[in-house]
Amino acid sequence: MLLPRAGGAAGRALPPLAALSQVLRLERSRRTAIVFPLQKLERYLAPGTDTARFRLFQPGMAALQRAEALFRSDRGNPIDYVSSAVRMDHAPPLALPEVRRALPLRPSAGARLSYGAEGWWSSCAALSERCAVCFIGRSNVGKSSLIRALFSLAPEVEVRVSKTPEEAEGALVFRQMKELYNLSRCALKPFEKNQTQRSTKGHTKKINFFKVGKYFTLVDMPGYGYRAPQDFVEMVEAYLQERRNLKRTFLLVDGVVGLQKTDHIAIEMLEEFGIPYVMVLTKIDRASRGVLLKNVLEIQEFVKESTQGCFPQLFLVSSVEFSGIHLLRCFVAHITGNLPTVEAS
């Protein structure tokens, strides 16, 4: 999960290639591979392969630089942890008209959330006025690592990433999820209590809210699958259906293993609810070229033939090498309305 850094963050060095200025120092082919990882794969495709969906969103350097400014924290653009919720009635509510009139819409620069009534409602009113994007995926898909990479230019925000290897998801777990989904029409039903009480160190169990200046809210959702919290359905389904300011959901898929059965259930949920979403392929640095090409082509074909609400272009990312991070920042800035015009590269 993500938490505010306790102290000493101001002097923390940026990770290599976290800033676009660092990437621009690289030679051209390496720079292109970092910013546009899909293009790196094109040379290995069979002649005649349709690559139009590889380049639907391909901004120029000027747009990438403007987007990066949104993710760079400073006095005028604080990036803050706001709150966590284990149930929707704990989440920052969408402000009612009378609340918006009575309370200030934005806290002062650097203001933190207060759990006194006035501080809480002031911060919530400000949060609810912003559009939001949320990130969701299987447990251990690399969601926290990805959000840490996106926020790497905000030294006051720290991300705790699990070091516990993912345990395999058995067929029994999938059958339980599928049966519960078919019975209740609610995707990704939580597992039995004795299954969810195993070690959960480092796995997101709450909905975490982060404000990115005055621009948008980023929402970190609990992971689904083997380590899903018991209240997963109540938390996630309610948020996805009720939040009118949610602009896009980012569905993370492991680049090493590709789409799994639990991912298909998540896709069914998003399609049924009519929620626009984007697929992000994580951990591409861990996948061999052949495996990565196979997964990319299979997912692109699946999106083309079997989805309606998914953005046609797949985004590839490595939180270790920062491949695709700059492009994803730019896409987030674009779909939240903070970068309405994007010049093509």
Side-chain angles (χ1 to χ4, degrees), residues 148-258:
R148 177 176 64 178
L150 291 172
F151 282 158
S152 58
L153 303 177
E156 72 277 13
V157 177
E158 183 179 18
V159 185
R160 293 181 180 177
V161 181
S162 172
K163 296 182 180 179
T164 305
E166 180 186 18
E167 295 184 37
E169 293 175 322
L172 174 62
V173 174
F174 169 69
R175 285 198 300 271
Q176 289 174 330
M177 291 179 65
K178 190 65 176 177
E179 289 168 3
L180 289 167
Y181 176 78
N182 290 335
L183 288 172
S184 65
R185 305 302 295 162
C186 295
L188 308 175
K189 200 73 172 176
F191 306 122
E192 296 298 328
K193 184 174 182 180
N194 61 347
Q195 292 174 308
T196 56
Q197 287 181 335
R198 296 173 183 250
S199 174
T200 56
K201 180 180 178 181
H203 293 266
T204 305
K205 294 299 179 184
K206 301 177 181 180
I207 303 178
N208 297 305
F209 297 85
F210 294 82
K211 66 172 185 179
V212 181
K214 62 183 180 181
Y215 300 108
F216 64 91
T217 300
L218 187 147
V219 184
D220 178 20
M221 307 293 277
Y224 57 79
Y226 189 84
R227 296 179 180 273
Q230 284 188 281
D231 296 333
F232 185 91
V233 170
E234 288 76 4
M235 296 162 64
V236 174
E237 180 183 285
Y239 179 84
L240 293 175
Q241 288 189 296
E242 295 174 11
R243 289 287 150 151
R244 299 182 300 276
N245 62 340
L246 180 62
K247 294 299 182 183
R248 200 67 57 108
T249 294
F250 290 82
L251 177 63
L252 276 53
V253 177
D254 192 318
V256 179
V257 299

Side-chain angles (χ1 to χ4, degrees), residues 39-200:
Q39 290 187 25
K40 180 182 177 181
L41 294 178
E42 286 188 30
R43 71 184 75 171
Y44 305 108
L45 296 173
T49 302
D50 182 11
T51 59
R53 291 171 176 245
F54 282 39
R55 298 172 179 263
L56 294 177
F57 185 78
Q58 189 174 343
M61 286 297 166
L64 291 166
Q65 288 170 333
R66 294 201 305 275
E68 183 178 278
L70 273 62
F71 288 87
R72 189 179 293 279
S73 181
D74 55 37
R75 183 178 296 275
N77 182 46
I79 298 177
D80 292 329
Y81 164 81
V82 178
S83 68
S84 295
V86 295
R87 298 196 309 268
M88 274 306 294
D89 55 355
H90 292 168
L94 289 172
L96 299 173
E98 58 271 20
V99 174
R100 288 199 294 265
R101 288 194 297 268
L103 293 173
L105 293 182
R106 294 186 178 89
S108 58
R112 310 296 296 188
L113 183 65
S114 166
Y115 285 91
E118 182 177 357
W120 165 258
W121 282 106
S122 296
S123 295
C124 287
L127 188 66
S128 66
E129 292 298 315
R130 300 180 178 90
C131 57
V133 294
C134 77
F135 286 72
I136 188 171
R138 288 191 308 121
S139 298
N140 207 37
V141 75
K143 178 166 53 66
S144 293
S145 295
L146 173 57
I147 297 175
R148 177 176 64 178
L150 291 172
F151 282 158
S152 58
L153 303 177
E156 72 277 13
V157 177
E158 183 179 18
V159 185
R160 293 181 180 177
V161 181
S162 172
K163 296 182 180 179
T164 305
E166 180 186 18
E167 295 184 37
E169 293 175 322
L172 174 62
V173 174
F174 169 69
R175 285 198 300 271
Q176 289 174 330
M177 291 179 65
K178 190 65 176 177
E179 289 168 3
L180 289 167
Y181 176 78
N182 290 335
L183 288 172
S184 65
R185 305 302 295 162
C186 295
L188 308 175
K189 200 73 172 176
F191 306 122
E192 296 298 328
K193 184 174 182 180
N194 61 347
Q195 292 174 308
T196 56
Q197 287 181 335
R198 296 173 183 250
S199 174
T200 56

